């Protein structure tokens, strides 16, 4: 297929595809799916070999968020029956992180619900980072605390944080349909705060919220322009009690096409398969390893993930290997480890936000809603039960 040959050549040269080429990936047929995966897999292997980086989430503070993000079970007014608790103590968070590291995680992601941290919160998280680093000096620590104020990124960096996550989530043109309590520009500004402080920037998207193909391409092109070191791709987990509980728009095939498009647009960054892979990719998860070079191990913030051992077995059975702590994640031209060195520090094209033909048919191609695959987390951080790692 001429399209795929062109995309592979551009990916190997780190050249940005055209918007038309990116859109074309999303509209390829299921008959061509394996060819799409194989083509994007060539680009993935060029920059990352067969390594898979493992990341582990620790939810420092769960629920009761004042923001109204429609996709989130912790949002203002959420009726989801999730765990709710205030800040974990540093030793509690360190213990939770240690379980992930023991399971093979190279990075621990410390997440807290809320609009953004107060200075006291930054002090609290700084102590938690210190406790984790004291136990596991080589582990990467990524903080995800919401919108940052001036100077807070620098304080997190000084405390030992390696990275900061703040996702763009969706296109600028449709952002107001998802969240009204902050803006798309607020999110971009926070990512730039992190980059300016020397933190490795992590910023990605959520697919499956009813967006069009054009929206998906818009947000991925915006991410390419912002140039984070890692791009997590989440697939909406439609949790009961949230406004988007009825959005079941993804089939495994569409999810794989989205991942392939992200890889072609962002060929040499850490593309992470994040929340929702078990719900939407299901038995086709191993194919995604040919597209991404990073996944989350175990559970997510408020929902349960695949068993940690099953994650490790899947990686091995698919012919991949877990990336070790001493191995640089990023290619040398991007600074190697990303977190161990200065992070890489633009332009998002706008488009008609009307759903494309393929987006409007997404519901038709998606499998029946698998609500049985969405399980609220009842173990790990904030509970007396052992974590999944």
């Amino acid at each position: 297929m001429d399209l795929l040959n062109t995309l592979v050549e551009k990916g190997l040269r780190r050249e940005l595809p055209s918007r038309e080429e990116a859109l074309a990936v999303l509209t390829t047929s299921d008959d061509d799916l394996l060819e799409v995966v194989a083509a994007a897999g060539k680009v993935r292997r060029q920059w990352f070999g067969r390594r898979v980086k493992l990341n582990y989430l620790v939810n420092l503070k769960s629920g009761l968020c004042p923001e109204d993000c429609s996709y989130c079970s912790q949002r203002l007014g959420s009726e989801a029956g999730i765990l709710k608790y205030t800040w974990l103590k540093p030793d509690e968070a360190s213990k939770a992180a240690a379980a992930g590291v023991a399971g093979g995680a190279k990075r621990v992601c410390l997440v807290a619900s809320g609009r953004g941290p107060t200075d006291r919160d930054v002090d609290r998280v700084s102590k938690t980072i210190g406790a984790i680093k004291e136990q596991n000096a080589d582990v990467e620590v990524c903080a995800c605390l919401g919108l940052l104020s001036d100077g807070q990124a620098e304080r997190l960096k000084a405390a030992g944080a390696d990275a900061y996550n703040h996702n763009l989530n969706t296109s600028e043109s449709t952002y107001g349909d998802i969240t009204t309590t902050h803006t798309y520009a607020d999110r971009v500004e926070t990512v730039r705060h992190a980059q300016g402080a020397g933190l490795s920037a992590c910023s990605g998207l959520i697919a499956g919220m009813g967006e069009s193909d054009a929206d998906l391409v818009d947000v991925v092109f915006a991410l390419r322009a912002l140039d984070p070191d890692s791009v997590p791709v989440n697939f909406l987990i439609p949790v009961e009690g949230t406004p988007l509980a009825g959005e079941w728009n993804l089939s495994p095939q569409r999810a794989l096409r989205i991942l392939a498009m992200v890889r072609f647009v962002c060929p040499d960054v850490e593309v992470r398969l994040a929340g929702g892979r078990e719900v939407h990719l299901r038995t086709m998860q191993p194919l995604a390893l040919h597209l991404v070079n990073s996944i989350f191990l175990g559970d997510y913030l408020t929902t349960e993930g695949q068993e940690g051992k099953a994650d490790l077995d899947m990686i091995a059975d698919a012919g991949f290997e877990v990336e070790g702590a001493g191995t640089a994640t990023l290619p040398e031209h991007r600074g190697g480890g990303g977190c161990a060195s200065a992070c890489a520090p633009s332009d998002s094209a706008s488009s008609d936000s009307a759903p494309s033909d393929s987006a409007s048919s997404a519901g038709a191609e998606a499998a029946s809603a698998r609500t049985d695959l969405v399980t609220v987390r009842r173990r790990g951080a904030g509970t007396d039960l052992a974590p999944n790692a």
Side-chain angles (χ1 to χ4, degrees):
M1 188 186 296
D2 288 344
L3 168 68
L4 297 179
N5 291 335
T6 298
L7 287 169
V8 170
E9 291 172 4
K10 287 186 174 183
L12 299 184
R13 296 194 303 262
R14 294 184 285 136
E15 182 180 335
L16 181 65
S18 69
R19 284 184 52 80
E20 291 72 22
E21 289 165 343
L23 284 165
V25 173
L26 298 178
T27 58
T28 53
S29 73
D30 288 351
D31 290 341
D32 295 325
L33 181 64
L34 290 181
E35 292 181 54
V36 173
V37 171
K42 291 180 182 178
V43 178
R44 181 250 199 265
R45 289 192 299 277
Q46 164 74 15
W47 301 115
F48 301 98
R50 302 189 74 82
R51 293 176 285 112
V52 178
K53 179 177 180 177
L54 298 181
N55 309 266
Y56 190 70
L57 284 166
V58 177
N59 197 356
L60 296 178
K61 180 168 73 78
S62 183
L64 307 176
C65 182
E67 302 297 287
D68 68 353
C69 306
S70 299
Y71 51 80
C72 185
S73 59
Q74 304 183 76
R75 73 187 297 271
L76 178 69
S78 171
E79 297 178 359
I82 62 168
L83 289 170
K84 296 182 178 69
Y85 53 86
T86 191
W87 290 94
L88 297 182
K89 293 182 173 61
D91 61 324
E92 294 172 326
S94 180
K95 182 179 179 181
V101 174
K106 181 177 178 177
R107 172 177 288 192
V108 171
C109 304
L110 302 177
V111 187
S113 62
R115 178 179 177 82
T118 64
D119 287 341
R120 182 182 178 190
D121 293 337
V122 172
D123 288 340
R124 193 192 321 261
V125 175
S126 294
K127 292 175 183 176
T128 297
I129 294 169
I132 291 171
K133 293 276 190 174
E134 185 177 356
Q135 277 200 342
N136 299 281
D138 294 334
V139 73
E140 298 174 4
V141 175
C142 179
C144 178
L145 311 174
L147 302 173
L148 293 176
S149 302
D150 288 345
Q152 291 184 327
E154 287 78 6
R155 290 174 60 196
L156 291 168
K157 173 74 173 174
D162 300 290
Y164 196 83
N165 165 263
H166 201 60
N167 295 329
L168 298 188
N169 289 331
T170 192
S171 69
E172 183 174 13
S173 62
T174 59
Y175 194 82
D177 297 334
I178 299 299
T179 304
T180 66
T181 47
H182 61 265
T183 67
Y184 179 92
D186 291 333
R187 287 188 170 266
V188 171
E189 182 181 23
T190 284
V191 176
R192 288 182 173 149
H193 274 315
Q195 290 173 320
L199 291 167
S200 179
C202 173
S203 187
L205 65 140
I206 305 173
M209 297 190 290
E211 69 283 335
S212 68
D213 285 3
D215 289 322
L216 286 170
V217 171
D218 278 352
V219 68
V220 177
F221 269 56
L223 288 165
R224 165 79 181 235
L226 198 55
D227 199 22
D229 287 326
S230 54
V231 174
V233 180
N234 296 276
F235 298 111
L236 176 72
I237 302 176
V239 177
E240 289 297 323
T242 64
L244 297 183
E247 293 286 345
W248 290 86
N249 303 311
L250 298 170
S251 67
Q253 292 80 7
R254 179 161 174 79
L256 288 168
R257 282 191 284 269
I258 291 168
L259 291 172
M261 185 269 286
V262 175
R263 175 55 73 196
F264 285 130
V265 176
C266 303
D268 60 339
V269 306
E270 177 190 338
V271 177
R272 184 178 310 142
L273 181 54
R277 63 179 165 94
E278 300 90 344
V279 176
H280 297 293
L281 283 164
R282 301 188 285 278
T283 57
M284 292 178 74
Q285 287 182 71
L287 276 180
L289 297 177
H290 293 273
L291 307 171
V292 305
N293 63 295
S294 180
I295 67 171
F296 279 110
L297 175 75
D299 293 334
Y300 302 103
L301 296 176
T302 64
T303 59
E304 293 186 358
Q306 186 166 279
E307 291 295 329
K309 184 180 183 303
D311 288 336
L312 298 176
D313 288 345
M314 176 180 71
I315 291 168
D317 289 347
F320 292 86
E321 60 185 25
V322 173
E323 183 175 288
T327 302
T329 297
L330 298 175
E332 188 174 352
H333 65 268
R334 290 193 65 92
C339 291
S341 60
C343 69
S346 219
D347 26 50
S348 167
S350 62
S351 67
D352 186 348
S353 62
S356 66
D357 289 343
S358 73
S360 62
S361 64
E365 78 162 3
S368 300
R370 290 297 306 274
T371 56
D372 59 305
L373 295 178
V374 179
T375 303
V376 171
R377 180 173 67 84
R378 301 293 184 200
R379 59 193 176 190
T383 77
D384 294 328
L385 300 178
N388 172 27

